[in-house]
Amino acid sequence: MASKSNEQIVMLPFMAHGHLIPFIALARQIYQATGFRISFASTPLNIQYLTSTFKSSSDEPENDYITLLELPFCSADNGLPPNTENTENLSLDSIGKLCSASQSLRAPFHSLVSDISAKQGHPPLCIISDVFFGWASEVANSLGTVNVTFSTGGAYGTLAYSSLWLNLPHRGRSDSDEFHLPGFPDRCRFHITQLHHFLRNADGTDSWSKFFQSQISFSMQSAGWLCNTVEEFEPAGLEWLRNFLKLPVWAIGPLLPPTVLKKDYSSLSVVASGISTRRAGKRLEISVEKCMEWLESHSPASVLYISFGSQNSINPSQMMELAIGLEESAKPFIWVIRPPVGFEQKCEFRAEWLPEGFEERMEKRKQGLLVSNWAPQLEILSHESTGAFLSHCGWNSVLESLSQAVPIIGWPLAAEQAYNSKMLVEEMGVSVELTRWLHNSMDWKEVKKVIEMVMDKNGKGGDMRSKALAIKDQLRAAVRDEGEDKGSSVRALDDFIKTLQSKRQMSSIS
Ligand code: UDP
């Protein structure tokens, strides 16, 4: 690790677990590579969450490189329920309100960076802000530093999301449901059904368009973008994103704990490390040991893991069909389950949401393990018994799955997930899309068919597995750091730091 330095970087993540997790990993990575101090700015409740994540980590070399700084925020003043500072448990409407309300952080963030500059006698080396906080570029410029945007998604997904919001190319089309998306070559046609309904209905005057168009445009004025991906894994996506942004893009992923990227990462070391708990700071509803024990009792690559990320769920009829399909497939599974959409996410789970006697039968036959709300995902995916992942295709989940060579069954639900899914199916061949969104009806026969196909060791399933294996090697090679032998992501992070330092030198000369 580099020795401690007086340099400081200020990070500004969006208030969602899927954003906080890679930001935390990025902070650790930068510190390990440079010794720079990192300040994390967020709202009080997210700071509480981050505090529990950063403290008590036995594998954390030091915790004092990070300073957690509060930005005042009152959810009730912004039309949100009290104590709402994170997308967790929020409806789409409320997430929209949280996005709009997040712009009120600009003035306190300006004061915070200004205070840091006054204390240090010079501005921080840079601000690294979430793509949802494009306004940070103006804050950085006004305080004599630079802003770098961190897109917590992949290159392909980030490009699709950005270009769709900025161009709304599907508006006013009557000729066809398929369209060309600026930034992509003509062969990558997009389909209207790949757009979430709030994007499909957007016309540039609605609050979603206003928020995303302004934040993405401001982010395009930053000094460059960091992307949680790998050069060899997404060469085309990165090339298209660079052409679109006309900015440097550093691919510095996969931002995953180094232990899970080790060659010999085994189920036993997983149990000992308990990585997910510390990484996400969330309360597990099941012990890592119990999960591992359950997985140990199944044969290699035989278990389907099902999770829809940190905040999503599916609708009641989809949940019922999924359960029937799982039972009919007779394949073992671990399902991270939350109340279906339309019900309070924190309420007690009701037996009527599943087929009668389902949980008992699954337990008795040792076919299924239901985990409510939050499971040790990294440990599950890293276990050799896990053979496929039914996922909403959130980018962290995608990287976590592929870094363990686990192929994916896609079911995108929000954000840029449908474009991640499209890329995994069309460009990489490591996923099959089961369905998308909440409004589509689902048939248990289709669930059974897709599960059987993907879990099959031969045929399409076998082919997906060998492609996932090749990607696992690419992802792991990118973070190799052995003397002169550095992977592409390590070199990109070095280059990013050198670029910042030379910008600092230039500004002190002028
Ligand atoms: N996660 C977890 N346990 C769960 C659900 C999610 O550890 O039961 C973690 C998962 O490992 C990933 C993150 O939460 O790191 C979810 O991020 P992703 O980008 O996949 O989806 P999002 O939550 O942003 O929709």
Side-chain angles (χ1 to χ4, degrees), residues 9-27 38-47 49-51 53-54 66-71 73 85-87 98-99 102-103 105-106 109 112 127-136 147-152 211 255 396:
I9 288 180
V10 182
M11 291 196 171
L12 181 65
F14 187 68
M15 303 91 88
H17 290 290
H19 291 230
L20 293 169
I21 290 172
F23 259 91
I24 294 168
L26 178 63
I38 312 286
S39 289
F40 244 84
S42 195
T43 64
L45 288 178
N46 286 294
I47 290 292
Y49 154 75
L50 289 163
T51 307
T53 309
F54 277 109
I66 200 123
T67 310
L68 301 174
L69 299 169
E70 281 186 11
L71 297 169
F73 182 78
E85 298 181 11
N86 189 295
T87 54
L98 184 70
C99 286
S102 70
Q103 295 172 86
L105 298 175
R106 180 180 173 143
F109 183 70
L112 182 145
I127 293 169
I128 300 181
S129 68
D130 203 290
V131 66
F132 286 14
F133 291 135
W135 47 258
N147 180 49
V148 175
T149 299
F150 177 33
S151 152
T152 50
F211 176 78
L255 289 165
N396 296 297

Side-chain angles (χ1 to χ4, degrees), residues 184-374:
F184 283 86
D186 222 31
R187 70 171 174 85
C188 296
R189 308 291 291 181
F190 282 69
H191 195 270
I192 193 91
T193 56
Q194 285 166 324
L195 310 190
H196 195 282
H197 71 85
F198 72 99
L199 174 54
R200 210 187 292 191
N201 297 332
D203 62 4
T205 63
D206 54 290
S207 58
W208 287 107
S209 303
K210 282 186 188 150
F211 176 78
F212 284 116
Q213 291 187 343
S214 64
Q215 297 317 318
I216 294 166
S217 306
F218 281 136
S219 292
M220 288 173 76
Q221 291 166 25
S222 61
W225 286 37
L226 290 163
C227 206
N228 186 11
T229 192
V230 163
E231 216 48 69
E232 295 79 3
F233 167 49
E234 278 198 273
L238 279 160
E239 186 192 331
W240 302 336
L241 181 64
R242 287 181 179 119
N243 288 340
F244 182 79
L245 295 173
K246 300 185 179 57
L247 287 172
V249 178
W250 293 277
I252 43 80
L255 289 165
L256 292 171
T259 11
V260 300
L261 293 170
K262 279 197 183 136
K263 220 174 168 182
D264 56 351
Y265 191 55
S266 71
S267 54
L268 288 175
S269 62
V270 176
V271 178
S273 63
I275 261 175
S276 278
T277 329
R278 289 198 301 277
R279 182 160 165 267
K282 295 268 282 186
R283 200 168 67 85
L284 290 179
E285 302 289 336
I286 185 170
S287 73
V288 181
E289 286 77 4
K290 188 161 177 229
C291 246
M292 294 302 119
E293 218 173 89
W294 194 90
L295 283 164
E296 291 290 328
S297 69
H298 290 89
S299 51
S302 66
V303 175
L304 175 69
Y305 171 60
I306 305 156
S307 165
F308 300 107
S310 62
Q311 63 195 41
N312 286 292
S313 187
I314 50 180
N315 81 35
S317 68
Q318 291 173 329
M319 187 171 278
M320 192 59 85
E321 293 296 309
L322 175 57
I324 300 171
L326 282 166
E327 183 162 7
E328 291 290 326
S329 79
K331 302 282 182 216
F333 63 88
I334 296 182
W335 183 359
V336 188
I337 196 159
R338 306 198 173 106
V341 166
F343 295 87
E344 184 49 53
Q345 287 300 292
K346 283 184 182 152
C347 73
E348 190 85 8
F349 198 88
R350 296 190 206 152
E352 75 213 40
W353 289 327
L354 292 170
E356 207 181 331
F358 177 78
E359 193 166 357
E360 295 73 30
R361 280 196 304 282
M362 293 304 101
E363 195 181 334
K364 206 163 142 211
R365 291 182 203 154
K366 263 188 159 264
Q367 190 195 334
L369 181 64
L370 298 184
V371 180
S372 69
N373 194 41
W374 197 265

Side-chain angles (χ1 to χ4, degrees), residues 304 306 321-322 325-326 328-331 387-391 407-412 421 425 430-436 442-462 464-465:
L304 175 69
I306 305 156
E321 293 296 309
L322 175 57
L326 282 166
E328 291 290 326
S329 79
K331 302 282 182 216
F389 182 9
L390 170 49
S391 167
I408 294 169
I409 299 175
W411 183 342
S421 171
V425 173
V430 288
S431 180
V432 169
E433 195 171 277
L434 174 60
T435 184
R436 50 180 95 112
M442 168 88 118
D443 179 355
W444 68 262
K445 293 191 196 80
E446 187 60 18
V447 175
K448 178 174 183 284
K449 191 176 105 194
V450 170
I451 293 175
E452 283 171 352
M453 176 175 75
V454 175
M455 300 295 289
D456 184 3
K457 304 230 160 49
N458 306 306
K460 186 158 172 80
M464 286 167 69
R465 200 151 288 110

Side-chain angles (χ1 to χ4, degrees), residues 380-393:
I380 293 171
L381 288 170
S382 309
H383 197 284
E384 61 167 7
S385 297
T386 304
F389 182 9
L390 170 49
S391 167
H392 70 316
C393 300

